[in-house]
Amino acid sequence: MYDYLIVGSGLYGSVVARELKDAGKSVLVIDKRQNIAGNVYTEKIENIHVHKYGAHIFHTNNKEVWDYVTRFIEFNRFTNSPVANYKGELYSLPFNMYTFNKMWGVVTPEEAAAKIAEQRKAAGITEPKNLEEQAISLVGTDIYEKLIKGYTQKQWGRPCSELPSFIIKRLPVRLTFDNNYFNALYQGIPVGGYTKLVANILDGIEVRLGVDYLENKSEFDAMADKIVYTGAIDAYFDYQLGNLEYRSVRFENEILDMPNFQGNAAVNYTDAETPWTRIIEHKWFEFGKDDEGNDIPKTVISREYSSEWKPGDEPYYPVNDEKNSALYEKYKELAAKEEKVIFGGRLGEYKYYDMDAVIASALACVKTLV
Ligand code: UDP
């Protein structure tokens, strides 16, 4: 018997497990995959830590969370600044003075602001109701057409006019020459990879891999007083109200016999025709160096293809539109009746969570438990 069974060894599950263990509780962590770390899992290929379930860049303004993660691992000084490739034209991201200069030839912040205001006015948007209107009112029509429209429709498989505007609010707009994608005080990549970070968080905690909770639910339920479930909430209830929609991603990984493919960790392909959304070149998250600090002669790239999720696929991004949010609320009502079970994390709460927010939410959850 354990005090807690934690289903899922991603960031949420690992942090909850660590905190409960440190509070004197007995815990068992299980995961249906053969590896820990959920979607932040990294695997060493050609001495490069490859982000197997999509690129993750840790960034936060939450000092408590930063202090927490840096207890377990050192972070490097990586700063995310993706490049947008629109039909061979390259633009700086996030949208900043370099982007505006390349797009319009404007030189001063005043000229850039005037250009955006002019395009917003021409589009006649006062209160943005969806992502398209939000984007145009933030950065104008040209940037929307070249850098947002195609990318977003590929990523979400829906027209921008049918997507919620909050998605685009993740992207900062700056009238300065600052290519740092995130407005965050703290940023970096764990030295040695995310798998090592999670392994360190789980140090001394019993973990069983390759076991499926939902397939042997009653057996597992009998093993612990309480369950922390971080899998998909609709799967927990056997999709009885219908399935929540996700976007999934397919990765085509390639090892290339060259030291430098694209010169940056992330290049977004923002036109509608290129079938992939972006290409990640993993070595640049670590400045092209291996764990010993040597230059790496080869490179590993991943092309990302966004796809509609169907049962059996890996769920990546919750689609928090009106329809799915309403369905999630119904599942949440069912979840409230499961007295033994706590639902948490990106899949358990059906939430487009950043890593720092997941950790903050896991820490807050444990405070209510102990
Ligand atoms: N986005 C865009 N063009 C880009 C990059 C992002 O239009 O070149 C928009 C797009 O709608 C996307 C959102 O910004 O869904 C958030 O992008 P981000 O790269 O932050 O998403 P993530 O890294 O979580 O996949």
Side-chain angles (χ1 to χ4, degrees):
M1 262 315 261
Y2 297 86
D3 294 326
Y4 285 90
L5 172 74
I6 319 281
V7 182
S9 64
L11 280 176
Y12 191 93
S14 312
V15 168
V16 166
R18 171 84 274 142
E19 294 309 291
L20 288 171
K21 172 100 177 176
D22 289 354
K25 306 290 180 191
S26 60
V27 298
L28 169 65
V29 177
I30 61 171
D31 201 300
K32 69 176 177 187
R33 289 191 187 152
Q34 291 297 345
N35 55 265
I36 57 162
N39 279 9
V40 303
Y41 176 67
T42 48
E43 191 177 302
K44 220 175 186 181
I45 301 172
E46 298 291 341
N47 278 325
I48 298 162
H49 296 285
V50 173
H51 299 218
K52 291 292 275 211
Y53 297 94
H56 285 77
I57 299 133
F58 198 91
H59 58 100
T60 189
N61 281 310
N62 184 330
K63 185 159 191 316
E64 189 193 346
V65 167
W66 183 248
D67 289 344
Y68 188 80
V69 287
T70 51
R71 254 174 60 196
F72 297 99
I73 206 159
E74 190 189 334
F75 279 72
N76 72 15
R77 61 154 192 86
F78 181 80
T79 300
N80 190 26
S81 43
V83 169
N85 181 329
Y86 178 78
K87 303 185 178 181
E89 290 171 29
L90 300 184
Y91 292 93
S92 287
L93 292 175
F95 310 125
N96 69 73
M97 284 304 297
Y98 288 111
T99 328
F100 306 138
N101 173 261
K102 176 98 188 233
M103 187 70 69
W104 300 312
V106 295
V107 170
T108 66
E110 207 178 359
E111 287 166 8
K115 196 83 192 168
I116 293 170
E118 174 195 313
Q119 298 203 344
R120 181 192 300 135
K121 196 159 170 242
I125 297 157
T126 42
E127 265 179 58
K129 284 180 295 295
N130 54 50
L131 194 152
E132 175 174 281
E133 296 183 1
Q134 178 73 49
I136 293 172
S137 64
L138 276 174
V139 286
T141 318
D142 291 337
I143 290 186
Y144 170 68
E145 292 288 338
K146 284 189 171 182
L147 303 184
I148 297 174
K149 192 178 177 185
Y151 185 91
T152 303
Q153 298 195 352
K154 281 192 290 187
Q155 173 153 8
W156 296 96
R158 292 156 175 74
C160 292
S161 53
E162 288 172 21
L163 284 165
S165 51
F166 79 87
I167 292 176
I168 201 79
K169 288 191 187 138
R170 286 169 59 83
L171 265 170
V173 178
R174 301 199 189 100
L175 295 174
T176 56
F177 292 90
D178 180 0
N179 286 328
N180 181 355
Y181 197 70
F182 298 118
N183 283 320
L185 279 173
Y186 311 102
Q187 183 170 182
I189 302 282
V191 174
Y194 283 93
T195 305
K196 191 172 162 197
L197 164 66
V198 176
N200 290 350
I201 294 174
L202 288 171
D203 186 37
I205 292 171
E206 186 182 350
V207 180
R208 293 189 203 164
L209 297 174
V211 289
D212 192 331
Y213 169 73
L214 293 177
E215 274 180 9
N216 304 291
K217 192 169 172 301
S218 48
E219 206 176 292
F220 282 117
D221 285 346
M223 285 170 70
D225 289 340
K226 287 215 162 206
I227 317 283
V228 176
Y229 175 83
T230 72
I233 188 168
D234 54 347
Y236 181 94
F237 293 105
D238 205 17
Y239 306 103
Q240 58 178 268
L241 306 173
N243 74 272
L244 290 163
E245 292 173 298
Y246 295 89
R247 290 301 288 172
S248 195
V249 190
R250 183 169 60 82
F251 299 99
E252 265 178 27
N253 300 327
E254 252 185 281
I255 302 171
L256 302 176
D257 200 6
M258 56 163 80
N260 189 358
F261 171 73
Q262 64 184 15
N264 203 36
V267 176
N268 294 358
Y269 286 76
T270 57
D271 65 297
E273 292 76 30
T274 306
W276 54 85
T277 50
R278 60 185 167 196
I279 302 182
I280 300 297
E281 188 170 11
H282 300 266
K283 71 192 300 185
W284 302 122
F285 289 122
E286 296 171 302
F287 310 102
K289 306 279 187 194
D290 66 16
D291 287 342
E292 277 70 51
N294 303 311
D295 290 328
I296 303 164
K298 294 190 181 180
T299 194
V300 179
I301 62 165
S302 304
R303 284 190 176 77
E304 288 187 20
Y305 299 83
S306 181
S307 60
E308 196 65 39
W309 178 88
K310 49 184 187 340
D313 292 349
E314 287 293 348
Y316 282 87
Y317 299 92
V319 180
N320 292 105
D321 60 5
E322 268 174 45
K323 175 180 132 200
N324 285 288
S325 302
L327 182 56
Y328 168 65
E329 287 305 320
K330 293 206 183 118
Y331 275 117
K332 214 171 134 185
E333 283 168 26
L334 290 181
K337 292 185 200 137
E338 298 283 299
E339 281 169 12
K340 231 183 121 157
V341 188
I342 297 133
F343 294 79
R346 175 179 55 99
L347 300 175
E349 296 171 63
Y350 193 64
K351 203 166 165 186
Y352 188 4
Y353 260 134
D354 282 332
M355 289 180 280
D356 63 330
V358 153
I359 291 171
S361 143
L363 292 172
C365 165
V366 176
K367 281 188 188 134
T368 68
L369 298 176
V370 295

